[in-house]
Amino acid sequence: MPRTIYINGRYVPESEAQISIFDRGFLFGDGIYEVSAVIGGRMIDNDLHLDRLERSLSELGIPMPVSRDDIVAMQNSLIARNELNEGVVYLQVTRGSEDRNFDYGDALKPNFIAFTQVKKLVDTNAHRTGVKVALVDDIRWGRRDIKTVMLLAQVQAKREAKAQGCSEAWMVQDGFITEGASSTAFIITQAGKIITRPNSRATLPGCTRLAVLQVAADHGLQVEERLFTADEARLAREAFLTSASSLVTPVIEISGHRIGEGRPGPVTRRIQEIYLNLALDRAAVQ
Ligand code: PDD
């Protein structure tokens, strides 16, 4: 079955989905995106992703391409058309297409595309055994809170991580971990406190991060939102990362330093379990 793509109001087979070469996302990285997890054919934390989509657009002065309700209906239609059980729905909105010019016309109409991707999200090897992360310099721009399609620094960071035998990069600025190349970074101190960096322009406000902080608070787990250094991360008792496409994934090694016992720790396991159960419950009542 060929995959169905959504493009500017139409559903077309992948081979017919075409966009202008003058699309500003293509020429300037002038656009934003969102990724929502799908488990059992239902989206997880999609409201949080659409909140962030609206915020990213408004920060860049790009209008919403269609109403929020229409976006949700379109996402569900794509999931149904592609019979997606487990994976992600990707949305991208760019400022629009016009002859190349740094400045843009005020009447530009955004280009809005979406597709589904099959991906195993639950009970993966990474969830069971944990992953290794590499530390790399954070060389990105000053508005990382906007989820732009300008991802070259992250592409390079992941490449570097792979060369070091790791599956994710944690980026470091002035000695402090900012976030993963496509995930939020968490550590658990020797005293058992969960630490993650507070939201600011230095990082993307993760939707899974927000959901995990809520479940941690609801279950009486101690959380502190503060900056933490790469050295502190290497000495952590446990570590994990979160994202729509990796949910809660244990980290067992940071730049060659074994974390804790070198296997997923008990606090991480607990958060993994609580988050997944809650996400599945929420998805079921959609
Ligand atoms: N990335 N930080 C960065 C830089 C990210 O790219 C992502 C997600 C996150 C986690 O955000 P969330 O929990 O809302 O997915 C943090 C997506 C999955 C991607 O680029 O594919």
Side-chain angles (χ1 to χ4, degrees):
M1 187 178 78
R3 183 163 47 163
T4 297
I5 310 287
Y6 170 88
I7 176 162
N8 291 330
R10 298 193 309 131
Y11 295 92
V12 297
E14 186 175 330
S15 58
E16 289 170 31
Q18 292 181 345
I19 198 105
S20 164
I21 62 156
F22 295 110
D23 172 64
R24 288 183 63 92
F26 180 58
L27 294 178
F28 293 104
D30 189 356
I32 63 98
Y33 75 107
E34 274 302 328
V35 178
S36 297
V38 175
I39 300 175
R42 294 178 187 270
M43 290 183 284
I44 307 292
D45 292 332
N46 193 48
D47 272 349
L48 299 180
H49 289 282
L50 295 186
D51 287 347
R52 193 172 60 193
L53 178 126
E54 288 194 82
R55 179 178 182 277
S56 293
L57 289 174
S58 116
E59 291 296 310
L60 294 178
I62 300 176
M64 273 285 269
V66 297
S67 74
R68 196 169 158 134
D69 285 350
D70 286 348
I71 295 179
V72 176
M74 177 275 284
Q75 289 173 300
N76 282 319
S77 172
L78 265 191
I79 291 167
R81 286 165 194 258
N82 291 319
E83 295 175 12
L84 182 68
N85 180 51
E86 198 166 313
V88 299
V89 185
Y90 177 93
L91 307 177
Q92 178 169 313
V93 185
T94 67
R95 197 178 298 278
S97 314
E98 65 177 354
D99 207 354
R100 185 175 184 274
N101 189 0
F102 280 82
D103 192 16
Y104 49 85
D106 291 330
L108 265 191
K109 208 165 135 345
N111 284 321
F112 184 24
I113 60 120
F115 54 82
T116 56
Q117 279 182 313
V118 175
K119 188 172 195 290
K120 187 162 167 56
L121 299 183
V122 181
D123 199 27
T124 60
N125 278 343
H127 285 159
R128 278 195 296 272
T129 60
V131 297
K132 298 177 181 177
V133 305
L135 296 176
V136 307
D137 280 346
D138 197 335
I139 58 165
R140 295 174 300 159
W141 75 324
R143 290 303 306 273
R144 303 165 189 159
D145 54 314
I146 305 172
K147 197 164 174 62
T148 76
V149 293
M150 280 189 320
L151 293 172
L152 195 50
Q154 284 100 310
V155 168
Q156 297 288 83
K158 287 216 189 246
R159 196 76 193 168
E160 170 69 34
K162 191 176 167 191
Q164 292 182 31
C166 299
S167 49
E168 175 62 312
W170 277 9
M171 298 179 285
V172 183
Q173 186 172 29
D174 302 329
F176 295 98
I177 307 251
T178 51
E179 62 187 325
S182 64
S183 58
T184 305
F186 290 77
I187 59 167
I188 297 166
T189 62
Q190 293 299 335
K193 203 181 259 184
I194 302 165
I195 312 287
T196 193
R197 193 177 170 114
N199 286 336
S200 71
R201 291 184 170 188
T203 57
L204 184 78
C207 298
T208 321
R209 170 190 186 279
L210 183 60
V212 160
L213 290 184
Q214 272 162 9
V215 296
D218 291 347
H219 287 78
L221 298 170
Q222 266 195 304
V223 178
E224 194 180 344
E225 293 180 59
R226 65 161 170 84
L227 273 65
F228 58 96
T229 62
D231 287 340
E232 203 179 353
R234 286 194 201 93
L235 296 172
R237 194 161 84 184
E238 297 179 36
F240 64 94
L241 55 85
T242 62
S243 76
S245 52
S246 62
L247 308 180
V248 177
T249 299
V251 171
I252 53 159
E253 205 180 287
I254 300 176
S255 264
H257 290 254
R258 201 179 66 175
I259 301 303
E261 307 283 298
R263 56 174 180 268
V267 180
T268 304
R269 280 280 182 245
R270 179 130 191 260
I271 294 170
Q272 249 185 329
E273 193 182 273
I274 305 172
Y275 173 71
L276 188 64
N277 287 337
L278 189 89
L280 292 176
D281 285 352
R282 281 207 204 123
V285 296
Q286 254 177 37

